[in-house]
């Protein structure tokens, strides 16, 4: 098991991941609920996403992972072909991970649209996890651009890690006085 997969395994089984996701989503929504629309849409720097863009990114990633979980289930059941391998992940010069282009927010969504999107992709994810059941931790696997080969459970664990990471990032950014 790679060190990345060991880090993800701390999120445990599907039930534990779903509890993490529920808790982090509740905290995330509480955090942005107190923001004005201006603060929600304001970028703290030229290459730094606004809180709204972070929410959009979270929805894009969760939607994609839900589709991967569904496809892995279908591959396991012989109902679909495996995915082609993904391109390798990219990093900034300082080593920070870069979102793949299709996971970058486009912007322009209202608060209501963002919240609607987050809720819709979460409901689809919950459905995929429920339909996968015990198969979540079984092969096949699909390569994550940074974490390597993952089962559907591994993809669910990445979502728990990912949302927690961005929640902590937003807390930090929003706690700093404006420059």
């Amino acid at each position: 098991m790679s060190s990345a997969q060991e880090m993800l395994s701390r999120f445990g089984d599907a039930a534990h991941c779903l509890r993490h996701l529920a808790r982090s989503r509740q905290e995330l929504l509480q955090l942005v609920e107190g923001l004005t629309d201006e603060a929600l849409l304001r970028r703290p720097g030229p290459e730094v996403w606004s809180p709204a863009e972070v929410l959009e990114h979270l929805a894009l990633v969760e939607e994609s992972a839900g589709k991967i979980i569904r496809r892995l289930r279908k591959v396991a059941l012989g109902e679909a072909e495996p995915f082609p391998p993904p391109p390798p992940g990219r990093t900034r010069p300082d080593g920070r991970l870069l979102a793949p282009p299709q996971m970058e927010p486009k912007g322009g969504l209202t608060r209501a649209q963002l919240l609607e999107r987050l809720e819709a992709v979460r409901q689809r994810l919950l459905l995929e996890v429920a339909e996968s059941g015990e198969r979540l931790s079984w092969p096949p696997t699909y390569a994550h651009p940074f974490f390597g080969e993952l089962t559907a459970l591994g993809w669910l664990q990445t979502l728990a890690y990912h949302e927690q990471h961005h929640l902590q990032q937003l807390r930090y950014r929003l706690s700093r006085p404006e420059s």
Side-chain angles (χ1 to χ4, degrees), residues 86-101:
R90 302 174 303 140
T91 57
R92 295 178 190 270
D94 64 6
R96 290 182 298 145
L97 307 181
L98 278 171

Side-chain angles (χ1 to χ4, degrees), residues 52-122:
E53 289 169 317
V54 171
L55 295 179
E56 182 182 355
H57 168 70
L58 289 170
L60 289 166
V61 169
E62 190 164 309
E63 180 177 37
S64 177
K67 289 176 181 178
I68 290 168
I69 290 169
R70 179 178 58 237
R71 180 74 168 264
L72 289 172
R73 180 180 71 249
K74 290 184 175 219
V75 170
L77 295 171
E79 298 173 359
E81 292 297 315
F83 288 107
R90 302 174 303 140
T91 57
R92 295 178 190 270
D94 64 6
R96 290 182 298 145
L97 307 181
L98 278 171
Q102 65 272 26
M103 298 299 126
E104 291 179 5
K106 309 298 179 263
L109 298 176
T110 66
R111 180 187 303 264
Q113 290 169 323
L114 287 165
L115 297 178
E116 230 173 72
R117 181 106 189 262
L118 285 167
E119 179 60 23
V121 298
R122 178 57 52 90

Side-chain angles (χ1 to χ4, degrees), residues 39 41-51 53 170 173 176 179:
L41 299 171
R42 183 183 322 115
R43 281 184 156 210
E47 294 199 19
V48 181
W49 292 340
S50 69
E53 289 169 317
L170 281 175
R173 285 184 191 156
R176 298 177 66 202
S179 311

